[in-house]
């Protein structure tokens, strides 16, 4: 696409945008009664207006029906998750039965590692990426310790080459080959939260499987951002949260994927609870556990309906728009951001996110030489919310559902002004 660095061009793109009406469906934080330029949907997505109404409906139901809300004919709480699996499955490229919406992300990662990290004397190593999200790293370290291994020996980190910012697929795959029979699990964030790099899940999964290892992906930064293909990529499991690009509310309930081929394997170790029991006999309160079909059997507790209401209401927007439509706007919007940043033509700024559109989502991570948190504070003072990562990276994520070309243009003007005055 031929971009132009004029405000008129940005406005023209907004006029042509088939998703432009969606912006009005969200609540924006305000500064001096004007909406912030909010490019932080990679940390906490904005509130869809429908969520407030939907939560109020459930509150009213609780108030008027009490326990009967579980079996209320219209939208019974007892089946709340089942409906969500289908709609969530479309967002991540899975079959309904492979998806369950439950718990929170880090909790799910622990639960799924109970099933998919089953070390033996020979095969006990876990491969992760450098700059993995800290929570994922803590999960891996603590799981290793729990099984009696020292993370120093058993946690292997693959990083970028000297002088590079992102990982090379061939380096990940060759590390997997080297570890061979010792490798139990590969766990990678897709995209990486820091650089925004998207990985080739299918290739990594194939290499890991060829060497007898399991593969999991943390798609916290992928769900609602890029089209994912968890089923076809053949990964063993995946986890993601719903409060980033999926706009479901702070700390809201997360998603998990378990590949179809594992769903009938009742030998797989699993921490169970009554909500993973088959719905039809759950309330019979029998001693014997009868698993719910598919991924639903990984559920443990009765789900928090008020939080799930946010997930359901927000996902309906994704269902309506479709992830492919979102992606096509996202490619333009982020492409425009990149174009304008390059036009600044200042050696102090460098984009560490891959240049290739298929290797990134909407986020660009910008390294600003010699910057301090003062830059971030100045951006906020000028009506821009982005994300600051020590020592010198701002992560900028224009979300195609509610951000505009106009905002991208104005953001770059504000950034420029800050660079020149600092
Ligand atoms: C946001 C994020 C988390 C956060 O985990 P919670 O359990 O939701 O607090 C974990 N991992 C990655 C990769 C993330 O991006």
């Amino acid at each position: 696409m031929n971009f132009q660095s004029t405000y008129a061009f940005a406005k023209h793109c907004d006029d042509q945008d088939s998703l432009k009406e969606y912006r009005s469906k969200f609540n924006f934080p305000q500064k001096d009664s004007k909406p912030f330029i909010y490019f932080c949907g990679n940390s906490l997505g904005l509130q869809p207006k429908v969520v407030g109404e939907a939560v109020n409906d459930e509150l009213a139901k609780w108030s008027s029906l009490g326990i009967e809300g579980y079996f209320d004919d219209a939208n019974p709480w007892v089946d709340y998750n089942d409906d969500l699996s289908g709609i969530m499955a479309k967002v991540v490229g899975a079959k309904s039965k492979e998806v369950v919406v439950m718990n929170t992300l880090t909790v799910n990662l622990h639960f799924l590692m109970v099933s998919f990290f089953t070390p033996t004397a020979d095969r006990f190593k876990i491969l992760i990426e450098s700059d993995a999200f800290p929570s994922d790293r803590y999960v891996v370290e603590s799981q290793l310790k729990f099984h009696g291994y020292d993370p120093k020996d058993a946690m292997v980190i693959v990083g970028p080459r000297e002088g590079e910012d992102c990982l090379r697929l061939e380096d990940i795959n060759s590390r997997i080959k080297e570890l061979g029979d010792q490798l139990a699990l590969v766990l990678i964030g897709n995209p990486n939260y820091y650089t925004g790099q998207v990985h080739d899940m299918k290739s990594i999964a194939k290499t890991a499987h060829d060497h007898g290892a399991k593969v999991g992906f943390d798609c916290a930064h992928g769900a609602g951002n890029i089209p994912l293909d968890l089923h076809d990529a053949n990964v063993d499991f995946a986890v993601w949260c719903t409060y980033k690009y999926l706009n479901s509310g702070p700390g809201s309930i997360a998603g998990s994927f378990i590949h179809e081929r594992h769903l009938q394997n009742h030998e797989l170790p699993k921490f169970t609870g009554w909500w993973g029991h088959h719905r039809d006999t759950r309330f019979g309160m029998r001693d014997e556990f009868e698993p719910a079909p598919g991924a639903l059997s990984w559920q443990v507790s009765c789900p928090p309906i008020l939080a799930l209401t946010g997930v359901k209401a927000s996902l309906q927007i994704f269902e309506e728009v479709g992830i492919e439509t979102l992606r096509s706007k996202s490619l333009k919007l982020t492409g425009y951001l990149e174009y304008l940043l390059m036009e600044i033509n200042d050696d102090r700024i460098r984009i560490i996110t891959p240049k290739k559109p298929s290797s990134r989502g909407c986020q660009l991570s910008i390294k600003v030489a010699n910057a301090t948190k003062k830059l971030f504070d100045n951006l906020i003072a000028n009506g821009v919310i982005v994300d600051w990562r020590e020592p010198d990276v701002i992560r900028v994520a224009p979300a195609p559902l509610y951000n505009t070309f106009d905002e991208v243009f104005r953001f770059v003007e504000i950034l420029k002004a800050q660079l020149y005055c600092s």
Side-chain angles (χ1 to χ4, degrees), residues 1-68:
M1 186 163 179
N2 287 327
F3 293 122
Q4 293 168 22
S5 54
T6 63
Y7 188 62
F9 177 80
K11 277 303 211 193
H12 172 75
C13 293
D14 285 330
D15 287 343
Q16 303 287 311
D17 175 12
S18 66
L19 298 180
K20 62 180 172 223
E21 81 212 55
Y22 281 89
R23 180 175 170 84
S24 64
K25 297 183 192 286
F26 289 84
N27 289 315
F28 281 75
Q30 308 270 321
K31 179 177 168 54
D32 306 330
S33 358
K34 285 213 299 267
F36 268 103
I37 296 178
Y38 191 85
F39 286 163
C40 218
N42 55 347
S43 285
L44 181 66
L46 289 181
Q47 185 189 102
K49 290 176 182 165
V50 286
V51 166
E53 268 166 51
V55 171
N56 279 331
D57 288 350
E58 295 306 331
L59 281 173
K61 193 159 124 191
W62 176 25
S63 158
S64 61
L65 296 179
I67 188 77
E68 288 304 315

Side-chain angles (χ1 to χ4, degrees), residues 44-110:
L44 181 66
L46 289 181
Q47 185 189 102
K49 290 176 182 165
V50 286
V51 166
E53 268 166 51
V55 171
N56 279 331
D57 288 350
E58 295 306 331
L59 281 173
K61 193 159 124 191
W62 176 25
S63 158
S64 61
L65 296 179
I67 188 77
E68 288 304 315
Y70 275 96
F71 303 102
D72 158 44
D73 282 347
N75 190 14
W77 294 333
V78 71
D79 294 326
Y80 219 87
N81 278 66
D82 306 29
D83 301 352
L84 273 175
S85 291
I87 167 166
M88 184 66 99
K90 285 190 206 156
V91 174
V92 295
K95 300 188 177 183
S96 299
K97 64 179 169 187
E98 295 174 312
V99 170
V100 55
V101 179
M102 62 178 185
N103 312 323
T104 47
L105 194 167
T106 308
V107 170
N108 287 339
L109 190 50
H110 274 298

